[in-house]
Amino acid sequence: GTHVYTLNGTDPEGDPVTYGLAYEAGSRRYFSVDKNLGNVTLIEELDREKEDEIEVIVSISDGLSTVSEKVRILVMDANDESPEFINTPYIVQVPENVPSGSSIFKIEAIDKDTGSGGSITYFLQNIHANKFTIDRHSGVLRIKTGVTLDYEKSRTHFVVVVAKDGGGKLRGDNKVFSATTTVTVNVEDVQDTPPMFIGTPYYGYVYEDTLAGSEVLTVVALDGDRGKPNSIHYCIVNGDEGSFEISNTTGAISVIKSPNQLKKEVYELKVQASEVSQEGDISVYAFAMVTIRVVDLNNHPPTFYGENGPQNRFELTMYEHPPEGEILRGLKITVNDSDQGANAKFNLRLVGPGGVFRVVPQTVLNEAQVTIIVENSASIDYEKFKVLTFKLLAIEVNTPEKFSSTADVVIRLLDTNDNVPKFSSDYYIARIPENSPGGSNVVAVTATDPDSGLWGEVKYSIYGTGADLFLIHPSTGIIYTQPWAVLDAEVNSKYNFYVKAEDADGKYSLAEVFITVLDVNDHSPEFNENIQEKTMIIGSPVKIEAIDQDAEEPNNIVDYSIMQADPANVFDIDQSTGEIKLKSYIRSLDIIHNITKNKDCIWSVVVQAKDRGSPSFSTTAVLKIDITEETLHKGPMAAFLMQTKDNPMKALGVLAGVMGIMVLITIMISTAMFWRNKRSNKIMPVRRIIKKRQTPQSRTVRMEWLKFKRPSNAAEKFVVEDDAKSLQNENSNNNIQVTPVPPSAPLPPPPPALAPRGDTPGWRVPTVSGSLTPKFINKQVKKRGHGSAHNALVSELKMKFEKRNAAISEPHI
């Protein structure tokens, strides 16, 4: 499809021409031509290596005449061929003694391309790991300089050779092709290594029953040159002392004397192995040492002996818990092995409960006295094991037979008092009703002592502050109440004390007992003493209360109910709280008067208080309820006015008496203050002239109203408060003048009877400072109603206080 050339021709007459291509018979058609344009196109891929010249017949025609001409087309080379190795595979045989640097083989590769694409260079892969090198142009393979081949180390080497062309253009790109092949180098063995013994070191044994002429062991040697090995010849160089011989061909060593004729226990033989060439010459040789030991035959197992000869059972009786490290001297045990040397070496150990005893010695040679030592005293417990049984085992150490023998060791234990009685629980919890009769069982405690005999018998006792009402059976541990005991949950519902379990030697343990007295409903509810009369204001309830002395619920929970009232539907009562209130439709006394003709509105109600115990107890009481309406005034004064509303003169007399007392108290206080102020205006000492005050302080003597208590609580007393500064000596000397407390002054008159209550501040009357300080009190006091005498007295005191303060503030000369 590639355009490779364009034909161009003309006709002299100017007629149009056409073009054509023709081939000789049998030739392949590589090109085609456009008959009108003359464009020559490649129709089949060219290959110079197959056909480097192509002949075609080119023709041109004007339609009447045709001109033809043969044309030779030369095919240009492109780098499209890879190098190819010839005469593969490559297998090379090289003796191991070839000198380093020697040429061993030539590799040859060809490339069909021409020019640089046909030139070839050679190189090796893994050049650093190879023992070979190659000439890059000739392809000659050589052994590296300084490197030798060794058949005994490596018999075959695989060398990878790469052939690469010089590169060239292919379809416009520069291409380089290469090929690889593997050269197998087999190393041939050469007789250059002495023989080697295998299986060294050599040891042999001659036993006491070995017959003369018996083979002891065989030594084996091989030619170090494994490729073409020579035969081996064996001989004993020295050390046999006429007692051993060796086969020259097999290397078998035999004893030639009976074992009892051998004078030594160990023989060291020096054996030589020599190579014999095919010509029969001994070339190289090697030596090996053979150790032959004359040993005793292991035909005797270890044996245990007692005082009277061989014995396989040993018994001992002892007390439990002996001290750790103690030797069981009652056991006389000897162990012996009649063999000699290593055959007489064996180990001793105890087989049984671990960590209780240990045996000494643990390794024996021939014979030893066996000692058994206590290792864990706590495990030697009569309560756990009355009889301890062990196996004493003797087993050979280094013999193939591993002969062994055993002996039984039986230790019978005797009991000691080593246990303390132990309760089944650290504490016991019991409950008993309070109405239980004396001698009633409460709880049974249990303690056990695993010791035997009298040491295992337990005796019980109790003690403690809470044990007065209880007893315990010394043998059974049953706790019961004293015959005279009376339990009362309301007096004491909890008891606790200690119980003691003790054995015959006085060893004991304690446990704590907690006893709860269960409440029984044995008390009836009781009303308070003030239940007989109650005053009820319409809209507010009255409350009754009954107390049940029982200790626990529900015995002490009280329910209230109205048993009888005339008429019946006037009152309701709260079952839980005991609050009694009028029915919701009763809102005034007029409704009460419509219900009954009783004008004084005093009702009698039968109420009941009943507990929730089983069986239930109840109490009834008659309650008188005086019903009245709520007044606008509250407190004692309002109550007083309510009581005297039918007698106005009585109320007026009481009010006049209170006002007179208040005026008298006010006059007494004023007189006392006048005399006090008069005394304080005396002439001061001369030294006062030269003394300079630091800071003039206003000297005030405050007098506050003292609360004056009376049944109506209509007024308050006056209280005198002396300022600490006013108590200082004006003359600045050490003579302190204490001013006596002035008398109380009367309070202002009480408020009118119909004045409403409120938390309105009252007033303090200062006696020195002249300032009015309000003080909040619980009663309302109105300013109107003060007498003229009271107002004049207050004005006079105020003027005196102002003059005194002005005099104090003037500087002293």
PDB file of all heavy atoms in Angstrom, residues 734-752:
ATOM      1  N   ASN A 734      -7.544  57.651 132.247  1.00  0.00           N
ATOM      2  CA  ASN A 734      -7.846  56.229 132.402  1.00  0.00           C
ATOM      3  C   ASN A 734      -9.029  55.981 133.301  1.00  0.00           C
ATOM      4  O   ASN A 734      -9.320  54.832 133.627  1.00  0.00           O
ATOM      5  CB  ASN A 734      -6.622  55.481 132.963  1.00  0.00           C
ATOM      6  CG  ASN A 734      -5.482  55.510 131.979  1.00  0.00           C
ATOM      7  OD1 ASN A 734      -5.722  55.525 130.778  1.00  0.00           O
ATOM      8  ND2 ASN A 734      -4.257  55.532 132.491  1.00  0.00           N
ATOM      9  N   ASN A 735      -9.697  57.028 133.751  1.00  0.00           N
ATOM     10  CA  ASN A 735     -10.867  56.836 134.604  1.00  0.00           C
ATOM     11  C   ASN A 735     -12.089  56.686 133.719  1.00  0.00           C
ATOM     12  O   ASN A 735     -12.578  57.638 133.129  1.00  0.00           O
ATOM     13  CB  ASN A 735     -11.049  58.027 135.549  1.00  0.00           C
ATOM     14  CG  ASN A 735      -9.841  58.189 136.464  1.00  0.00           C
ATOM     15  OD1 ASN A 735      -9.274  57.180 136.875  1.00  0.00           O
ATOM     16  ND2 ASN A 735      -9.463  59.439 136.756  1.00  0.00           N
ATOM     17  N   ILE A 736     -12.543  55.469 133.583  1.00  0.00           N
ATOM     18  CA  ILE A 736     -13.686  55.195 132.712  1.00  0.00           C
ATOM     19  C   ILE A 736     -14.951  55.431 133.500  1.00  0.00           C
ATOM     20  O   ILE A 736     -15.162  54.834 134.563  1.00  0.00           O
ATOM     21  CB  ILE A 736     -13.634  53.752 132.190  1.00  0.00           C
ATOM     22  CG1 ILE A 736     -12.305  53.496 131.466  1.00  0.00           C
ATOM     23  CG2 ILE A 736     -14.801  53.481 131.271  1.00  0.00           C
ATOM     24  CD1 ILE A 736     -12.103  54.388 130.266  1.00  0.00           C
ATOM     25  N   GLN A 737     -15.802  56.251 132.962  1.00  0.00           N
ATOM     26  CA  GLN A 737     -17.096  56.512 133.579  1.00  0.00           C
ATOM     27  C   GLN A 737     -18.149  55.707 132.871  1.00  0.00           C
ATOM     28  O   GLN A 737     -18.348  55.843 131.679  1.00  0.00           O
ATOM     29  CB  GLN A 737     -17.427  58.005 133.502  1.00  0.00           C
ATOM     30  CG  GLN A 737     -18.791  58.336 134.130  1.00  0.00           C
ATOM     31  CD  GLN A 737     -19.098  59.813 134.007  1.00  0.00           C
ATOM     32  OE1 GLN A 737     -18.271  60.562 133.492  1.00  0.00           O
ATOM     33  NE2 GLN A 737     -20.255  60.231 134.453  1.00  0.00           N
ATOM     34  N   VAL A 738     -18.791  54.825 133.559  1.00  0.00           N
ATOM     35  CA  VAL A 738     -19.812  53.979 132.984  1.00  0.00           C
ATOM     36  C   VAL A 738     -21.161  54.620 133.222  1.00  0.00           C
ATOM     37  O   VAL A 738     -21.538  54.856 134.375  1.00  0.00           O
ATOM     38  CB  VAL A 738     -19.773  52.562 133.593  1.00  0.00           C
ATOM     39  CG1 VAL A 738     -20.858  51.710 132.992  1.00  0.00           C
ATOM     40  CG2 VAL A 738     -18.401  51.962 133.395  1.00  0.00           C
ATOM     41  N   THR A 739     -21.821  54.847 132.136  1.00  0.00           N
ATOM     42  CA  THR A 739     -23.137  55.483 132.225  1.00  0.00           C
ATOM     43  C   THR A 739     -24.179  54.420 132.478  1.00  0.00           C
ATOM     44  O   THR A 739     -24.232  53.427 131.752  1.00  0.00           O
ATOM     45  CB  THR A 739     -23.454  56.223 130.936  1.00  0.00           C
ATOM     46  OG1 THR A 739     -22.410  57.154 130.678  1.00  0.00           O
ATOM     47  CG2 THR A 739     -24.793  56.936 131.043  1.00  0.00           C
ATOM     48  N   PRO A 740     -24.999  54.575 133.467  1.00  0.00           N
ATOM     49  CA  PRO A 740     -26.038  53.550 133.723  1.00  0.00           C
ATOM     50  C   PRO A 740     -27.047  53.532 132.596  1.00  0.00           C
ATOM     51  O   PRO A 740     -27.274  54.521 131.914  1.00  0.00           O
ATOM     52  CB  PRO A 740     -26.657  54.013 135.048  1.00  0.00           C
ATOM     53  CG  PRO A 740     -26.414  55.484 135.077  1.00  0.00           C
ATOM     54  CD  PRO A 740     -25.073  55.713 134.440  1.00  0.00           C
ATOM     55  N   VAL A 741     -27.684  52.363 132.388  1.00  0.00           N
ATOM     56  CA  VAL A 741     -28.698  52.203 131.350  1.00  0.00           C
ATOM     57  C   VAL A 741     -29.918  53.008 131.724  1.00  0.00           C
ATOM     58  O   VAL A 741     -30.439  52.852 132.838  1.00  0.00           O
ATOM     59  CB  VAL A 741     -29.050  50.718 131.186  1.00  0.00           C
ATOM     60  CG1 VAL A 741     -30.133  50.553 130.140  1.00  0.00           C
ATOM     61  CG2 VAL A 741     -27.799  49.943 130.838  1.00  0.00           C
ATOM     62  N   PRO A 742     -30.406  53.872 130.865  1.00  0.00           N
ATOM     63  CA  PRO A 742     -31.583  54.693 131.202  1.00  0.00           C
ATOM     64  C   PRO A 742     -32.822  53.828 131.294  1.00  0.00           C
ATOM     65  O   PRO A 742     -32.875  52.746 130.725  1.00  0.00           O
ATOM     66  CB  PRO A 742     -31.654  55.676 130.040  1.00  0.00           C
ATOM     67  CG  PRO A 742     -30.972  54.982 128.922  1.00  0.00           C
ATOM     68  CD  PRO A 742     -29.893  54.182 129.542  1.00  0.00           C
ATOM     69  N   PRO A 743     -33.803  54.274 131.971  1.00  0.00           N
ATOM     70  CA  PRO A 743     -35.054  53.489 132.105  1.00  0.00           C
ATOM     71  C   PRO A 743     -35.808  53.445 130.790  1.00  0.00           C
ATOM     72  O   PRO A 743     -35.573  54.240 129.892  1.00  0.00           O
ATOM     73  CB  PRO A 743     -35.832  54.251 133.189  1.00  0.00           C
ATOM     74  CG  PRO A 743     -35.327  55.652 133.087  1.00  0.00           C
ATOM     75  CD  PRO A 743     -33.853  55.545 132.745  1.00  0.00           C
ATOM     76  N   SER A 744     -36.717  52.473 130.691  1.00  0.00           N
ATOM     77  CA  SER A 744     -37.524  52.291 129.479  1.00  0.00           C
ATOM     78  C   SER A 744     -38.560  53.390 129.364  1.00  0.00           C
ATOM     79  O   SER A 744     -39.072  53.904 130.373  1.00  0.00           O
ATOM     80  CB  SER A 744     -38.219  50.932 129.501  1.00  0.00           C
ATOM     81  OG  SER A 744     -37.242  49.933 129.603  1.00  0.00           O
ATOM     82  N   ALA A 745     -38.886  53.735 128.148  1.00  0.00           N
ATOM     83  CA  ALA A 745     -39.928  54.736 127.870  1.00  0.00           C
ATOM     84  C   ALA A 745     -41.180  54.045 127.410  1.00  0.00           C
ATOM     85  O   ALA A 745     -41.122  52.954 126.841  1.00  0.00           O
ATOM     86  CB  ALA A 745     -39.433  55.716 126.813  1.00  0.00           C
ATOM     87  N   PRO A 746     -42.328  54.623 127.618  1.00  0.00           N
ATOM     88  CA  PRO A 746     -43.581  53.987 127.179  1.00  0.00           C
ATOM     89  C   PRO A 746     -43.679  53.977 125.671  1.00  0.00           C
ATOM     90  O   PRO A 746     -43.138  54.831 124.996  1.00  0.00           O
ATOM     91  CB  PRO A 746     -44.662  54.867 127.813  1.00  0.00           C
ATOM     92  CG  PRO A 746     -44.003  56.186 127.968  1.00  0.00           C
ATOM     93  CD  PRO A 746     -42.562  55.935 128.308  1.00  0.00           C
ATOM     94  N   LEU A 747     -44.391  52.967 125.177  1.00  0.00           N
ATOM     95  CA  LEU A 747     -44.609  52.822 123.731  1.00  0.00           C
ATOM     96  C   LEU A 747     -45.726  53.744 123.276  1.00  0.00           C
ATOM     97  O   LEU A 747     -46.548  54.187 124.085  1.00  0.00           O
ATOM     98  CB  LEU A 747     -44.971  51.385 123.390  1.00  0.00           C
ATOM     99  CG  LEU A 747     -43.840  50.381 123.496  1.00  0.00           C
ATOM    100  CD1 LEU A 747     -44.409  48.997 123.303  1.00  0.00           C
ATOM    101  CD2 LEU A 747     -42.785  50.681 122.469  1.00  0.00           C
ATOM    102  N   PRO A 748     -45.788  54.002 121.995  1.00  0.00           N
ATOM    103  CA  PRO A 748     -46.960  54.732 121.463  1.00  0.00           C
ATOM    104  C   PRO A 748     -48.215  53.922 121.711  1.00  0.00           C
ATOM    105  O   PRO A 748     -48.170  52.708 121.921  1.00  0.00           O
ATOM    106  CB  PRO A 748     -46.646  54.847 119.968  1.00  0.00           C
ATOM    107  CG  PRO A 748     -45.180  54.672 119.871  1.00  0.00           C
ATOM    108  CD  PRO A 748     -44.798  53.764 120.979  1.00  0.00           C
ATOM    109  N   PRO A 749     -49.371  54.569 121.696  1.00  0.00           N
ATOM    110  CA  PRO A 749     -50.634  53.845 121.951  1.00  0.00           C
ATOM    111  C   PRO A 749     -50.869  52.817 120.878  1.00  0.00           C
ATOM    112  O   PRO A 749     -50.403  52.943 119.755  1.00  0.00           O
ATOM    113  CB  PRO A 749     -51.688  54.972 121.915  1.00  0.00           C
ATOM    114  CG  PRO A 749     -51.060  56.046 121.111  1.00  0.00           C
ATOM    115  CD  PRO A 749     -49.603  55.999 121.428  1.00  0.00           C
ATOM    116  N   PRO A 750     -51.578  51.757 121.199  1.00  0.00           N
ATOM    117  CA  PRO A 750     -51.852  50.677 120.244  1.00  0.00           C
ATOM    118  C   PRO A 750     -52.764  51.150 119.129  1.00  0.00           C
ATOM    119  O   PRO A 750     -53.471  52.141 119.280  1.00  0.00           O
ATOM    120  CB  PRO A 750     -52.505  49.597 121.113  1.00  0.00           C
ATOM    121  CG  PRO A 750     -53.125  50.353 122.214  1.00  0.00           C
ATOM    122  CD  PRO A 750     -52.212  51.503 122.515  1.00  0.00           C
ATOM    123  N   PRO A 751     -52.808  50.453 118.016  1.00  0.00           N
ATOM    124  CA  PRO A 751     -53.698  50.831 116.906  1.00  0.00           C
ATOM    125  C   PRO A 751     -55.135  50.550 117.258  1.00  0.00           C
ATOM    126  O   PRO A 751     -55.437  49.819 118.204  1.00  0.00           O
ATOM    127  CB  PRO A 751     -53.211  49.924 115.770  1.00  0.00           C
ATOM    128  CG  PRO A 751     -52.617  48.757 116.467  1.00  0.00           C
ATOM    129  CD  PRO A 751     -51.994  49.287 117.720  1.00  0.00           C
ATOM    130  N   PRO A 752     -56.022  51.133 116.501  1.00  0.00           N
ATOM    131  CA  PRO A 752     -57.454  50.846 116.748  1.00  0.00           C
ATOM    132  C   PRO A 752     -57.743  49.374 116.595  1.00  0.00           C
ATOM    133  O   PRO A 752     -57.013  48.638 115.954  1.00  0.00           O
ATOM    134  CB  PRO A 752     -58.159  51.682 115.670  1.00  0.00           C
ATOM    135  CG  PRO A 752     -57.175  52.710 115.260  1.00  0.00           C
ATOM    136  CD  PRO A 752     -55.831  52.144 115.466  1.00  0.00           C
TER     137      PRO A 752
END
